[in-house]
C-alpha cells in the first residue's frame, strides 16, 4: 500500500519532501520505495523494518491489533505483549520504534488527542492521595456490550495506583469499602485526599465549608483525613488522577474483552503490577512501585476497626468471591457454601466485635442473622476457614455406615461388606458409601439381593453394586427362570478352579533358565 501511494504521488509530480509530508514518512523511506520494483517492495514488507528485529516474531499480533484498533498506543501494545508473553523482556523504546515502523509501512495512522494541564507543585511523601471515578463500555465474550464502573486512587508523590471495578454504579458504601481496600493495599493513608465534587461524598462546596454526605462524613471523622474538594470546572487541580483515569481507560480497558467482574478485577490487579505501577512514569522518570517503597514509610497507619460503624449501626460491606470467601485485613475468611451466587450482587455486611478477642461477624444484610464468625488473624495472606463452610460434615463416617447398615435385612453381612470397601478405598470410602446410599434410595426392594450377589462374586466396589442393581432391575421384566439363573450361576460354578502351572514351565517355553 505504501509503495503504491508513493509511486502515485511521484507520477503526479510531487516532490520527495511533499510525498514524505503527505504520507507521514521519512524522506529516506520515499527514496527507498522509489528505487524498488513492486516485487521488491512486496518482499521487503514481509520483513517490515527491513532487517531482523527483536519483535519480528510478534509482528502478526502487533499488526492485527493495530489494524483492528488503530488508536492503540505503543505503551498499550507493550502491555498486551507482556500479558500474552509474560517471559518477554523488551524495553518501551524498542516497542515504540517497532510500532512506529509498522504504522509507517502499513499506513496505519493514529489520531493523537493532546490534553493540557497546568503544572502543580510536587507533593511531599505521604501528603496527598487523589481519587476519582470512571466508567467504560466493554465488549463481552458473547460479543455484546456492558457498562463497567471503577474507582481509581493515586499517591501524589510516587504515582502508585490502585483501582477497583464493579458492574453497577457506585454507592457511598461502595466508595467507603474501596477506600478501606485501598488503605490495606497501600499499608496506610495520607494526610489529605483530593476529590472531585461527586454526589457520593459531597453535598456542597459551601464557600469552603464543605458539606459531605452523612455517611461519608462519619467515615472521614473516623479515619481523620483532610478532604480537599476541587473547584468546579477545575480538573487541573487533580490532574494526576485525571491522567490515571485516562490511562486506565486508554491502556487497560480499551479493547479488552469482559467475561465476569471477578476475572476483570484480577486482570486489573495484574495490570497494575505489570504495567500501571511498573512502567517508568513520564514525569518523574521513575517507576511508581520503586518510589512507593519509600513513600509507604510516610503513610499513617489505619486501624482494623471502624468504630463509627457500631455507633451508627452501620457495617462495611465486602464482596464475596467465587470460592465463597471475603477479604479482610489481607486475609480471606470463609462464608457458607452457596453464599456466592452467579446472578447476584454478592455483598455481605461485616463488623468487628472486641470481647476477649477480636471477632469478625458476617451477615447477609445489616442487622440480619449472622452467617459466619471468625477470630481475626494477626497474620497476613492466610485463609481462615470454618470446616462447616466446606462440604457437609454433619454426618461422620461411622454414622453414615450405621445408617447404611440399618437399611439392609442382614446387617452383619452389610457391615462386613462396608468394612471391606473401607479397607480397599480408605481415601474414598465416603464417596463409595454415598453411591451405595443413592442405589438404596433408587432400588430399595433390590438392595438385599444386590448385597448377596456382591458378596458371592466378591465385588467390593460401589460402582459394581450400582451396576448389579441396574441389571437386576432390568431382569424384573424377564421370565422367572432367567432371574433364578442369574442368582444361581455363581453358586453353580463356584467350585471350579482354574489350573495353574509352575513358573519353570513358562521359563522353559520362553527359552530361559529355570
Amino acid at each position: 500500500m505504501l509503495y503504491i501511494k508513493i509511486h502515485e504521488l511521484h507520477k503526479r509530480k510531487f516532490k520527495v519532501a511533499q510525498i514524505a509530508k503527505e504520507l507521514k514518512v521519512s524522506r529516506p523511506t520515499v527514496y527507498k520505495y522509489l528505487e524498488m520494483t513492486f516485487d521488491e517492495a512486496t518482499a521487503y514488507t514481509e520483513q517490515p523494518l527491513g532487517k531482523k528485529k527483536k519483535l519480528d516474531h510478534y509482528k502478526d499480533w502487533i499488526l492485527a491489533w493495530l489494524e483492528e484498533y488503530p488508536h492503540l498506543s505503543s505503551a498499550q501494545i507493550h502491555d498486551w505483549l507482556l500479558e500474552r508473553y509474560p517471559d518477554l523482556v523488551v524495553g518501551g523504546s524498542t516497542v515504540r520504534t517497532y510500532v512506529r515502523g509498522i504504522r509507517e509501512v502499513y499506513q496505519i495512522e493514529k489520531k493523537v488527542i493532546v490534553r493540557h494541564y497546568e503544572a502543580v507543585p510536587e507533593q511531599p511523601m505521604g501528603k496527598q492521595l487523589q481519587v476519582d471515578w470512571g466508567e467504560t463500555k466493554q465488549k463481552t465474550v458473547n460479543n455484546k456490550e456492558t457498562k463497567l464502573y471503577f474507582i481509581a486512587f493515586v499517591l501524589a508523590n510516587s504515582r502508585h495506583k490502585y483501582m477497583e471495578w464493579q458492574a453497577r454504579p457506585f454507592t457511598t458504601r461502595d466508595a467507603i469499602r474501596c477506600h478501606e481496600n485501598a488503605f490495606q493495599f497501600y499499608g496506610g493513608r495520607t494526610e489529605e485526599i483530593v476529590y472531585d465534587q461527586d454526589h457520593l461524598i459531597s453535598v456542597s462546596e459551601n464557600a469552603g465549608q464543605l458539606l459531605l454526605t452523612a455517611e461519608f462524613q462519619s467515615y472521614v471523622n473516623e479515619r481523620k483525613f483532610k478532604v480537599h474538594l476541587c473547584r468546579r470546572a477545575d480538573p487541573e487541580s487533580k490532574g494526576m488522577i485525571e491522567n490515571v483515569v485516562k490511562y486506565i481507560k486508554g491502556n487497560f480497558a480499551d479493547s479488552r474483552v469482559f467475561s465476569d467482574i471477578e476475572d476483570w478485577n484480577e486482570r486489573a490487579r495484574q495490570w497494575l503490577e505489570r504495567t500501571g505501577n511498573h512502567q517508568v512514569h513520564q514525569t518523574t522518570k521513575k517507576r511508581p512501585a520503586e518510589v512507593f517503597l519509600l513513600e509507604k514509610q510516610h503513610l499513617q497507619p489505619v486501624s482494623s476497626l471502624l468504630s463509627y460503624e457500631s455507633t451508627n449501626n452501620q457495617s462495611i460491606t465486602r464482596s464475596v468471591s467465587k470460592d465463597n470467601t471475603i477479604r479482610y485485613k489481607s486475609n480471606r475468611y470463609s462464608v457458607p457454601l452457596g453464599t456466592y451466587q452467579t446472578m447476584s450482587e454478592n455483598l455481605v455486611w461485616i463488623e468487628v466485635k472486641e470481647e476477649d478477642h477480636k471477632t469478625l461477624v458476617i451477615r447477609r444484610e445489616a442487622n440480619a442473622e449472622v452467617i459466619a464468625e471468625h477470630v481475626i488473624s494477626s497474620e497476613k495472606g492466610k485463609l481462615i476457614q470454618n470446616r462447616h463452610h466446606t462440604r457437609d460434615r454433619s454426618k461422620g463416617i461411622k454414622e453414615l455406615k450405621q445408617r447404611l447398615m440399618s437399611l439392609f435385612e442382614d446387617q452383619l453381612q452389610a457391615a462386613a461388606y462396608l468394612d471391606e470397601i473401607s479397607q480397599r478405598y480408605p481415601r474414598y470410602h465416603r464417596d463409595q458409601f454415598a453411591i451405595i446410599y443413592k442405589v438404596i434410595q433408587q432400588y430399595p426392594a433390590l438392595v438385599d439381593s444386590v448385597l448377596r450377589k456382591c458378596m458371592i462374586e466378591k465385588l467390593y466396589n460401589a460402582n459394581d453394586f450400582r451396576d448389579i442393581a441396574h441389571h437386576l432391575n432390568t431382569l424384573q421384566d424377564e421370565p422367572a427362570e432367567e432371574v433364578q439363573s442369574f442368582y444361581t450361576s455363581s453358586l453353580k460354578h463356584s467350585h471350579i478352579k482354574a489350573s495353574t502351572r509352575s513358573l519353570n514351565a513358562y521359563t522353559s517355553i520362553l527359552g530361559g533358565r529355570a
Side-chain angles (χ1 to χ4, degrees):
M1 182 64 68
L2 181 60
Y3 174 88
I4 294 172
K5 287 183 178 180
I6 289 174
H7 279 265
E8 282 180 352
L9 293 176
H10 183 66
K11 289 177 182 178
R12 292 165 57 187
K13 307 302 181 182
F14 274 61
K15 296 180 181 180
V16 170
Q18 292 174 320
I19 296 174
K21 184 178 180 180
E22 177 71 19
L23 299 180
K24 296 181 176 61
V25 297
S26 64
R27 281 180 290 179
T29 299
V30 177
Y31 283 119
K32 178 172 56 181
Y33 276 92
L34 287 174
E35 295 171 357
M36 289 183 181
T37 65
F38 181 78
D39 291 336
E40 290 173 339
T42 303
Y44 176 77
T45 55
E46 291 178 357
Q47 295 182 347
L49 302 186
K51 59 181 180 179
K52 189 172 182 181
K53 298 290 184 179
K54 185 174 184 178
L55 293 176
D56 281 349
H57 179 69
Y58 312 98
K59 172 204 161 188
D60 290 341
W61 279 111
I62 296 173
L63 181 58
W65 291 334
L66 290 175
E67 286 179 339
E68 187 170 359
Y69 311 109
H71 61 279
L72 291 181
S73 65
S74 60
Q76 194 170 359
I77 293 290
H78 191 184
D79 178 65
W80 285 18
L81 285 171
L82 294 178
E83 183 177 34
R84 185 170 290 276
Y85 303 101
D87 298 329
L88 175 63
V89 179
V90 63
S93 60
T94 302
V95 178
R96 283 195 298 274
T97 303
Y98 195 84
V99 170
R100 185 165 59 246
I102 291 286
R103 287 188 182 278
E104 181 179 292
V105 171
Y106 290 92
Q107 287 291 280
I108 304 174
E109 185 177 355
K110 177 188 177 184
K111 294 182 179 179
V112 180
I113 301 175
V114 179
R115 185 172 181 179
H116 300 283
Y117 293 95
E118 180 182 349
V120 294
E122 285 294 323
Q123 296 292 331
M125 289 189 174
K127 173 68 175 178
Q128 188 181 95
L129 179 71
Q130 296 190 5
V131 182
D132 203 0
W133 287 262
E135 58 185 58
T136 64
K137 289 184 178 179
Q138 305 296 146
K139 284 187 177 179
T140 67
V141 292
N142 299 324
N143 203 28
K144 296 181 180 180
E145 193 173 71
T146 187
K147 203 169 189 178
L148 298 180
Y149 306 83
F150 69 93
I151 183 172
F153 301 77
V154 62
L155 289 172
N157 183 276
S158 63
R159 272 57 167 196
H160 204 256
K161 307 163 196 68
Y162 177 75
M163 63 173 160
E164 281 193 42
W165 293 76
Q166 57 187 48
R168 56 177 175 77
F170 276 80
T171 64
T172 304
R173 190 176 294 273
D174 292 326
I176 294 173
R177 169 175 54 81
C178 292
H179 275 67
E180 288 297 292
N181 292 342
F183 293 159
Q184 295 300 322
F185 176 78
Y186 288 127
R189 67 161 178 82
T190 55
E191 295 179 19
E192 177 184 70
I193 302 182
V194 178
Y195 303 93
D196 208 346
Q197 294 193 34
D198 193 280
H199 71 280
L200 297 178
I201 63 171
S202 67
V203 177
S204 171
E205 193 178 5
N206 196 30
Q209 292 183 329
L210 305 180
L211 296 179
L212 303 180
T213 62
E215 192 169 7
F216 197 75
Q217 184 65 65
S218 297
Y219 178 66
V220 172
N221 293 342
E222 172 66 21
R223 285 306 186 204
K224 295 180 174 59
F225 56 81
K226 296 179 183 178
V227 173
H228 175 83
L229 286 186
C230 296
R231 301 290 297 272
R232 293 190 183 277
D234 182 27
E236 289 80 6
S237 58
K238 59 180 183 66
M240 296 175 193
I241 192 62
E242 292 277 333
N243 281 329
V244 169
V245 169
K246 177 183 174 183
Y247 188 28
I248 290 172
K249 289 182 177 181
N251 190 297
F252 170 71
D254 183 31
S255 307
R256 195 180 293 270
V257 178
F258 174 81
S259 57
D260 61 71
I261 197 64
E262 285 80 13
D263 171 72
W264 189 261
N265 271 308
E266 179 60 32
R267 293 166 75 183
R269 285 188 287 270
Q270 293 173 0
W271 178 85
L272 285 173
E273 182 178 352
R274 180 183 65 244
T275 298
N277 291 324
H278 178 75
Q279 297 296 338
V280 175
H281 194 276
Q282 293 303 306
T283 302
T284 64
K285 304 303 180 184
K286 299 175 182 177
R287 299 185 191 276
E290 295 176 355
V291 183
F292 171 68
L293 296 178
L294 297 176
E295 185 170 17
K296 186 176 182 180
Q297 302 173 24
H298 296 266
L299 298 178
Q300 300 184 20
V302 292
S303 63
S304 61
L305 176 66
L306 287 172
S307 60
Y308 92 91
E309 293 175 2
S310 56
T311 58
N312 287 1
N313 198 28
Q314 295 174 339
S315 300
I316 292 292
T317 59
R318 287 291 188 273
S319 295
V320 181
S321 301
K322 283 184 176 180
D323 58 357
N324 288 284
T325 62
I326 65 167
R327 291 187 178 273
Y328 180 77
K329 291 286 291 180
S330 302
N331 290 316
R332 291 184 299 148
Y333 294 84
S334 67
V335 292
L337 281 181
T339 302
Y340 177 87
Q341 300 291 329
T342 304
M343 303 299 291
S344 175
E345 192 176 33
N346 290 312
L347 290 180
V348 293
W349 275 252
I350 68 169
E351 61 178 306
V352 177
K353 290 184 177 180
E354 293 206 42
E355 298 172 349
D356 297 335
H357 45 255
K358 287 186 178 180
T359 304
L360 182 67
V361 179
I362 307 172
R363 293 181 170 89
R364 284 273 193 182
E365 300 285 345
N367 301 321
E369 182 181 353
V370 175
I371 62 172
E373 286 191 35
H374 296 280
V375 175
I376 295 177
S377 173
S378 59
E379 300 181 80
K380 292 188 176 181
K382 298 293 183 181
L383 170 63
I384 294 84
Q385 188 175 43
N386 186 324
R387 66 189 300 268
H388 296 293
H389 294 167
T390 56
R391 61 182 178 181
D392 182 15
R393 299 179 183 272
S394 59
K395 297 292 182 182
I397 292 296
K398 290 183 179 180
E399 293 182 40
L400 181 57
K401 178 183 173 183
Q402 283 295 129
R403 186 176 180 182
L404 285 176
M405 288 168 49
S406 66
L407 301 176
F408 290 92
E409 184 178 339
D410 189 342
Q411 295 189 14
L412 290 178
Q413 189 179 46
Y417 183 70
L418 298 176
D419 286 341
E420 185 66 28
I421 287 179
S422 295
Q423 292 178 10
R424 296 190 181 202
Y425 306 99
R427 292 179 56 196
Y428 302 98
H429 48 214
R430 180 185 293 274
D431 299 320
Q432 291 274 320
F433 290 174
I435 294 174
I436 293 174
Y437 182 69
K438 288 183 179 179
V439 173
I440 293 173
Q441 289 181 311
Q442 189 173 2
Y443 308 111
L446 298 176
V447 293
D448 292 305
S449 301
V450 175
L451 177 62
R452 287 195 297 271
K453 181 67 175 177
C454 288
M455 293 294 285
I456 293 171
E457 300 288 350
K458 294 182 170 41
L459 301 174
Y460 300 106
N461 184 292
N463 293 318
D464 291 332
F465 190 93
R466 179 188 56 206
D467 293 342
I468 290 177
H470 289 331
H471 186 64
L472 288 179
N473 185 59
T474 58
L475 287 178
Q476 287 184 338
D477 297 328
E478 299 293 334
E481 56 271 15
E482 292 285 342
V483 179
Q484 184 63 30
S485 173
F486 176 77
Y487 286 129
T488 59
S489 60
S490 55
L491 291 174
K492 179 179 179 181
H493 302 288
S494 60
H495 65 283
I496 301 176
K497 293 185 178 180
S499 59
T500 58
R501 297 184 181 182
S502 66
L503 183 61
N504 293 339
Y506 291 102
T507 304
S508 61
I509 293 173
L510 296 173
R513 297 177 61 185

